[in-house]
Amino acid sequence: MPTAKKLPSGSWRCQVYSHTEDVLQPDGSVKRKRIYKSFTCDLPDKKGKRIAEQMAAEWAAEKETFSRYDRTFGEALDQYIENRSSVLSPATIREYKQIRKRDVQGLMDKKILNITQEDVQEEVNLASLSHSPKTVRNIHGIISAVMRANRPNFALNTQLPKAVRPSLYIPSDSEIQALLSYVSQKDAEMEKAVLLAAFGPMRRGEICALDSDHIDGCTIHVEYSMTQNEKGDWILKAPKSLAGNRRIQFPQFVIDKFSGIEGRIVHLNPTQISHRFPHILSQAGLAPFRFHDLRHYSASIQHALGVKDAYIMERGGWNNDKVLKEVYRHTLSEESQKANEISNGHFEKLYNTKCNTKK
């Protein structure tokens, strides 16, 4: 808050920075000069000081408001990203910058003050043609955040595409066995990655960041994740949430695979894991599914064994049970088939008994 000073006349004066002007010097150079706006009050007592400071503060607040309104959306988005670059994850910053470069281009050159609900809806409709509902919602989220930071009283009421329930695939025990049989013979790096994902369950980034210092007996401390920064370099960072920082006790046969390894356990990055995995499934004669689905397998097996959700969430680093509920809707195909056979066998026996009785 600006502070007023007393003038020789007895009045109080408070100065607030207004803007900077270029002043041409006699030698032809240009000097930048800061221009201040003055507010004075003739009352000589402390009340005069408070009045001068209040006038200055009100003008500064109004100036800041109009300054924000005068920005383009692109300028406001750049400022929004810059202000959060030290607190958001590199992956989130990278996503924001990708949105800045490729999406909502119709808003970028518009003044914040002139943007309407119709403008936002038009950009959302356009994004819906080439992006998934989840991505469109992410795009709208950053539009909303930027507008809220620069026009707090502007309320968005955008019609967004309906969320689509994710299509999950949960590998069966037999598929996991076939997968492990193949990688144990053909790809030692991916074997370690599969073991950590299926029996952990650990994420790709967590697997790639793991080193021998984080293994103590059968316990693995998940403390870092490997991700790309905005320049595309692979870096290590803390997990997204507190739940991600966890200790997992693995079966001894998994830990034995890392015996004698110093430093990084898996010498791959997350992208390399994703690129290798479909080829491995094909060579192993398995149907396509994502590497991430190994985590769903792990959660489903633990649920089927009667492990409480709280422990499954703790082991997998989930903040809430949303993912688990989605996983549980897709029961293991082998277990589902067994349940169907039991039910249908009972119904068939009941029907045949009834028919035989009639005879």
Side-chain angles (χ1 to χ4, degrees):
M1 180 177 176
T3 302
K5 295 182 178 180
K6 199 162 192 178
L7 301 175
S9 64
S11 299
W12 291 93
R13 181 178 70 182
C14 192
Q15 292 184 308
V16 184
Y17 170 73
S18 173
H19 61 282
T20 302
E21 293 182 353
D22 292 336
V23 180
L24 184 63
Q25 303 298 301
D27 61 359
S29 62
V30 176
K31 183 178 180 180
R32 302 280 287 169
K33 182 179 180 181
R34 292 172 65 86
I35 306 300
Y36 292 84
K37 187 171 180 64
S38 296
F39 299 86
T40 60
C41 181
D42 294 335
L43 297 177
D45 55 13
K46 292 293 184 180
K47 183 178 180 180
K49 180 177 184 292
R50 290 196 301 271
I51 292 174
E53 290 174 346
Q54 182 179 352
M55 290 190 296
E58 290 175 352
W59 182 86
E62 185 178 3
K63 171 182 175 289
E64 175 61 23
T65 299
F66 279 105
S67 174
R68 293 200 304 265
Y69 285 178
D70 194 51
R71 298 175 182 171
T72 64
F73 180 83
E75 292 168 341
L77 177 54
D78 290 338
Q79 186 67 51
Y80 181 87
I81 295 172
E82 182 180 348
N83 290 346
R84 289 154 181 81
S85 59
S86 60
V87 295
L88 295 178
S89 72
T92 300
I93 293 297
R94 187 175 71 251
E95 180 185 358
Y96 284 174
K97 291 193 173 184
Q98 288 174 347
I99 291 174
R100 171 67 169 95
K101 182 178 180 180
R102 74 185 182 210
D103 300 308
V104 295
Q105 296 304 302
L107 296 180
M108 292 303 172
D109 294 329
K110 288 182 181 291
K111 298 284 188 181
I112 287 288
L113 183 61
N114 297 330
I115 291 176
T116 66
Q117 173 66 71
E118 288 72 23
D119 294 329
V120 175
Q121 186 68 63
E122 183 177 344
E123 291 301 317
V124 166
N125 293 346
L126 187 62
S128 299
L129 298 176
S130 55
H131 294 304
S132 69
K134 182 178 183 299
T135 300
V136 173
R137 287 173 178 270
N138 290 345
I139 291 172
H140 183 263
I142 195 171
I143 294 174
S144 178
V146 171
M147 294 301 293
R148 187 167 55 249
N150 291 272
R151 281 177 66 184
N153 296 325
F154 180 69
L156 284 173
N157 187 29
T158 314
Q159 185 68 39
L160 299 174
K162 291 183 179 180
V164 177
R165 178 175 290 176
S167 178
L168 302 182
Y169 183 83
I170 302 175
S172 65
D173 281 342
S174 60
E175 287 174 313
I176 295 299
Q177 288 173 331
L179 174 61
L180 287 173
S181 176
Y182 179 84
V183 292
S184 66
Q185 302 175 48
K186 302 292 185 179
D187 196 327
E189 291 300 305
M190 285 297 291
E191 179 188 17
K192 292 180 288 185
V194 169
L195 288 170
L196 291 167
F199 303 134
M202 290 175 63
R203 301 174 176 91
R204 292 178 312 155
E206 296 167 347
I207 291 168
C208 296
L210 179 64
D211 65 44
S212 55
D213 290 339
H214 288 84
I215 302 177
D216 182 13
C218 287
T219 300
I220 288 180
H221 183 192
V222 181
E223 189 177 12
Y224 295 105
S225 180
M226 181 180 288
T227 187
Q228 281 182 298
N229 61 18
E230 59 188 88
K231 297 178 181 179
D233 299 323
W234 291 103
I235 61 172
L236 300 186
K237 69 171 188 65
K240 282 185 176 181
S241 65
L242 292 176
N245 190 322
R246 62 202 189 278
R247 285 176 167 81
I248 307 171
Q249 187 171 351
F250 278 83
Q252 184 63 53
F253 72 85
V254 174
I255 300 299
D256 288 344
K257 290 291 182 179
F258 315 141
S259 178
I261 299 178
E262 295 292 333
R264 284 181 60 193
I265 299 300
V266 177
H267 294 278
L268 299 170
N269 62 48
T271 297
Q272 289 171 331
I273 288 179
S274 293
H275 286 171
R276 284 197 193 189
F277 196 62
H279 175 72
I280 287 172
L281 292 178
S282 175
Q283 292 299 307
L286 296 171
F289 59 88
R290 303 174 307 164
F291 183 83
H292 193 77
D293 292 328
L294 296 175
R295 276 171 54 81
H296 300 153
Y297 162 79
S298 183
S300 293
I301 286 295
Q302 292 175 76
H303 180 67
L305 293 173
V307 178
K308 293 183 178 180
D309 286 359
Y311 298 123
I312 300 175
M313 290 166 57
E314 180 182 356
R315 188 178 178 94
W318 285 292
N319 271 324
N320 54 60
D321 62 357
K322 180 180 178 181
V323 172
L324 297 188
K325 287 178 179 177
E326 291 293 340
V327 169
Y328 298 163
R329 289 193 185 100
H330 299 73
T331 56
L332 292 172
S333 59
E334 289 184 351
E335 297 300 321
S336 178
Q337 181 62 31
K338 291 178 183 177
N340 285 332
E341 290 174 358
I342 293 172
S343 300
N344 291 336
H346 175 79
F347 299 147
E348 185 174 350
K349 181 179 179 181
L350 183 68
Y351 179 79
N352 290 335
T353 300
K354 180 180 179 182
C355 290
N356 291 333
T357 301
K358 285 184 177 181
K359 293 179 180 179

